[in-house]
Amino acid sequence: MKRAGFSPARVALIAEYTVREAARQRLPLLMGMLAAVTAGAALMLRDFNFGATELKFLLDAGLGALMIFGAILAIVAMAQLFFSEIERRTVLTVLAKPVWRAEFILGKFGGVLLLLLAYCGLGTALLTGLLWWREAALMSSDPAVFPDGRRVAYAGVALCGLVEWLKLGVLAALTLLVASYARSSLFAVGVGFLALITGHLLHLARDIPGNPDSLWLRGGSRVLSLMLPDFQLFAVADKVAAGESLPLSLVGGIAIYALGYMAAFSGMAVYCFRQREL
Amino acid sequence: MVFFSTLLITGTALQPVKSWVLRAEEMPRAAFRAADFSALAGHGVSAAVLGGFRALAADLLWLQTYRKWANEDLSATPALVRLVTMIDERPLCFWLHGARMIAYDMAQWRLADDGRGAPVPPEVKRRIIEEQASVALQRLEEARHYHADSAAVCVEMANIHLYSRKDIVAAAWWYRQAAAAPDAPYYAARIYAELLKRQGRYQEAYVWLRNLHRRLPADDEQAMSGVVLARIRELEGYLEVAEKERYAAPMIDAKTQRP
């Protein structure tokens, strides 16, 4: 029997099914609530603001909330949607048809990427709307502070949302890699969160090579910083909050970095899943 | 083995992109360094900071700082002041208020502790004030790394030199730096002239005030153009400047209210 070739159409179909499955699991509802919390939290927490101006604070808190809730969504959705197929044995039905395991994995990943895109889009739109409304209110109450019109770089805010999506995509790919060989979703979720923290602290490993006394520490930190994605690279919100523009070349560089890791993690996930006994 | 090799190859291949992005992103920020990170432990802010809630984490920690400050906690106050600016270096008020707490309030707490009701010997008093001022000035030097053009930081440094250390020369130097900053308040230049006078450098003060007055807008109350002119006249009297060499105040344009 002739073996069916790799089909992007089947990948798209599985991705679409993944999104529908997420809808059945009420993940979009959770996503909507998280996005609303993102915006609402930023608005409520401005009462705690002592240092920065209100708009900067809103931007900082809003993007922070988008990242935190997005990370939870990326890790939990990826693990949940992957393991639900295995636990309900539907994966056997799918793979009994002429579907590659690679197509299944990439389809699952594609579906979660679409979910995350919707989350980041919704969250960024809410945050942008909130900033626009507060800026308009501040402009009418104190026009002297805004002599040159609006101050918030809204294009920069939108690009921040895009960078956030890329980061969440890397995190989802990493969780998928763990899920592809793990036996429980809890393990995949745990490792996902651990990777999130490690990725954020990875820049500390860059500092360690400055210590000439410890060869092992230097070597180990160097290897670690090469193996894992550095999430500090995605921290562009400071630039936007400082009123600086976000060059497209910078976003392009971050996108190449993120896509490189997404490709590597999903490729390894395919490799693991092909070895896995279902 | 396949995992490690693939991850290493991916990391190595993406290293040039990573380095380029890091260079492009480079901006002065108090990102946590390995040596600093331990300072965060136990304050419950690590997760918030990692999540991107820098402003919120710093604000909440600032509340805690105020609580410690109100309780006159000598050890926790400076540690928290440093921690707040480490988490979020952007707001100037954290740097300025923190430096004031360290320079003025903490010096008084230490004096009260050392004296225990009895008068503190002048040399001990001098040493304590000097130590606290030195720590505060170090914090403000660090602030200049992130807020290089800020007049407020220079004014704060000048004030500590003037009121704590009683060092008029250093205070004058910092007021001059403040006067040269893009967001300089008008009073910085006036105080600089006053400090020159207190050092006996009347001629320099006179030249400085003459140059200053030419640039001052007549319609801005804060510029206190009239006060500056009065001080110029006072100095002319003191320096016995000849009538024809005296400063001729520029004519004010009725429309623009500028010289």
Side-chain angles (χ1 to χ4, degrees), chain B residues 31-59:
Chain B
F32 308 111
R33 297 292 162 222
D36 293 336
F37 201 75
S38 57
L40 283 176
H43 288 280
V45 294
S46 316
V49 173
L50 293 176
F53 292 101
R54 287 172 68 202
L56 183 62
D59 288 343

Side-chain angles (χ1 to χ4, degrees), chain B residues 87-109:
Chain B
I87 291 169
D88 194 355
E89 76 290 347
R90 294 166 295 180
L92 256 178
C93 74
F94 292 155
W95 294 101
L96 303 180
H97 292 197
R100 284 173 204 157
M101 285 175 184
I102 294 170
Y104 307 121
D105 303 328
M106 284 183 61
Q108 292 309 312
W109 303 344

Side-chain angles (χ1 to χ4, degrees), chain B residues 5-251:
Chain B
S5 320
T6 313
L7 286 175
L8 270 178
I9 291 166
T10 308
T12 311
L14 292 172
Q15 191 60 29
V17 182
K18 181 178 170 179
S19 306
W20 181 85
V21 171
L22 282 173
R23 273 200 306 277
E25 276 180 358
E26 199 56 60
M27 59 185 293
R29 63 169 129 165
F32 308 111
R33 297 292 162 222
D36 293 336
F37 201 75
S38 57
L40 283 176
H43 288 280
V45 294
S46 316
V49 173
L50 293 176
F53 292 101
R54 287 172 68 202
L56 183 62
D59 288 343
L60 293 176
L61 208 59
W62 189 243
L63 277 179
Q64 205 178 336
T65 311
Y66 263 125
R67 219 183 66 202
K68 297 289 178 191
W69 171 75
N71 291 336
E72 302 191 0
D73 191 326
L74 266 170
S75 57
T77 305
L80 284 170
V81 163
R82 180 162 179 269
L83 203 56
V84 170
T85 51
M86 216 168 82
I87 291 169
D88 194 355
E89 76 290 347
R90 294 166 295 180
L92 256 178
C93 74
F94 292 155
W95 294 101
L96 303 180
H97 292 197
R100 284 173 204 157
M101 285 175 184
I102 294 170
Y104 307 121
D105 303 328
M106 284 183 61
Q108 292 309 312
W109 303 344
R110 284 183 64 188
L111 288 173
D113 269 7
D114 279 22
R116 303 206 183 278
V120 180
E123 64 277 8
V124 175
K125 187 176 176 181
R126 192 70 253 146
R127 179 176 56 76
I128 288 174
I129 288 173
E130 189 67 36
E131 281 172 5
Q132 289 306 128
S134 164
V135 175
L137 288 169
Q138 276 173 23
R139 304 289 310 125
L140 292 170
E141 271 296 349
E142 201 181 324
R144 275 171 59 78
H145 180 63
Y146 307 108
H147 302 277
D149 293 333
S150 167
V153 176
C154 296
V155 167
E156 206 55 52
M157 291 179 94
N159 285 342
I160 290 173
H161 281 295
L162 186 61
Y163 302 115
S164 254
R165 300 188 63 233
K166 315 284 181 201
D167 183 344
I168 296 175
V169 179
W173 193 86
W174 280 109
Y175 271 120
R176 186 173 181 154
Q177 299 301 310
D183 59 339
Y186 292 116
Y187 67 81
R190 288 198 304 272
I191 297 178
Y192 173 63
E194 286 306 297
L195 291 178
L196 285 177
K197 278 162 64 180
R198 278 170 66 177
Q199 292 174 63
R201 294 154 68 181
Y202 294 100
Q203 185 61 37
E204 275 179 67
Y206 176 57
V207 173
W208 173 265
L209 286 175
R210 278 177 67 137
N211 290 334
L212 174 67
H213 189 263
R214 284 196 192 99
R215 302 194 306 267
L216 292 178
D219 58 338
D220 191 338
E221 271 186 26
Q222 290 187 338
M224 298 176 87
S225 176
V227 171
V228 173
L229 188 60
R231 286 179 186 171
I232 290 172
R233 297 289 174 238
E234 188 188 322
L235 279 168
E236 282 170 342
Y238 184 83
L239 293 167
E240 296 175 350
V241 178
E243 194 66 40
K244 59 178 182 179
E245 286 170 11
R246 290 196 168 202
Y247 175 67
M251 299 295 287

Side-chain angles (χ1 to χ4, degrees), chain A residues 162-222:
Chain A
L162 178 67
V163 169
E164 207 59 65
W165 175 63
L166 289 167
K167 178 178 165 181
L168 297 179
V170 174
L171 192 60
L174 209 154
T175 310
L176 177 66
L177 168 61
V178 180
S180 66
Y181 69 81
R183 292 285 154 192
S184 81
S185 60
L186 193 65
F187 178 75
V189 168
V191 174
F193 279 111
L194 203 64
L196 174 70
I197 294 169
T198 313
H200 273 289
L201 296 179
L202 213 60
H203 70 286
L204 297 180
R206 286 203 303 266
D207 284 355
I208 293 173
N211 177 5
D213 300 331
S214 171
L215 193 67
W216 283 107
L217 205 58
R218 265 191 296 167
S221 65
R222 178 79 185 146

Side-chain angles (χ1 to χ4, degrees), chain A residues 17-266:
Chain A
Y17 170 76
T18 306
V19 174
R20 283 186 190 188
E21 178 62 19
R24 265 198 291 273
Q25 292 186 13
R26 305 280 191 271
L27 281 175
L29 185 68
L30 173 73
M31 202 173 64
M33 279 171 59
L34 291 182
V37 167
T38 302
L43 193 61
M44 284 183 291
L45 291 171
R46 71 199 157 108
D47 289 341
F48 286 98
N49 176 26
F50 308 115
T53 59
E54 182 183 327
L55 292 173
K56 272 187 190 174
F57 180 81
L58 276 178
L59 186 62
D60 196 64
L63 288 172
L66 191 72
M67 187 265 148
I68 284 276
F69 296 130
I72 296 169
L73 185 71
I75 295 168
V76 174
M78 190 74 253
Q80 180 68 20
L81 290 170
F82 182 83
F83 278 100
S84 67
E85 298 277 6
I86 302 214
E87 282 158 12
R88 287 185 302 169
R89 300 277 173 194
T90 43
V91 66
L92 296 175
T93 319
V94 174
L95 294 177
K97 297 186 179 349
V99 173
W100 289 30
R101 287 194 179 202
E103 289 169 354
F104 179 80
I105 286 284
L106 295 178
K108 282 279 155 203
F109 181 50
V112 172
L113 273 185
L114 285 174
L115 264 183
L116 294 173
L117 183 66
Y119 166 78
C120 287
L122 192 62
T124 310
L126 271 172
L127 183 62
T128 306
L130 193 71
L131 284 166
W132 186 275
W133 167 61
R134 281 308 301 158
E135 194 174 32
L138 291 171
M139 279 171 82
S140 61
S141 66
D142 198 357
V145 182
F146 300 86
D148 306 319
R150 288 189 179 268
R151 279 180 171 184
V152 178
Y154 290 96
V157 178
L159 286 174
C160 276
L162 178 67
V163 169
E164 207 59 65
W165 175 63
L166 289 167
K167 178 178 165 181
L168 297 179
V170 174
L171 192 60
L174 209 154
T175 310
L176 177 66
L177 168 61
V178 180
S180 66
Y181 69 81
R183 292 285 154 192
S184 81
S185 60
L186 193 65
F187 178 75
V189 168
V191 174
F193 279 111
L194 203 64
L196 174 70
I197 294 169
T198 313
H200 273 289
L201 296 179
L202 213 60
H203 70 286
L204 297 180
R206 286 203 303 266
D207 284 355
I208 293 173
N211 177 5
D213 300 331
S214 171
L215 193 67
W216 283 107
L217 205 58
R218 265 191 296 167
S221 65
R222 178 79 185 146
V223 169
L224 191 70
S225 68
L226 278 176
M227 282 171 59
L228 288 174
D230 186 345
F231 286 135
Q232 281 292 321
L233 240 69
F234 298 84
V236 290
D238 276 358
K239 264 190 177 307
V240 177
E244 289 184 38
S245 62
L246 209 55
L248 283 175
S249 58
L250 176 66
V251 178
I254 294 171
I256 292 170
Y257 185 77
L259 292 173
Y261 270 106
M262 279 189 228
F265 288 147
S266 50

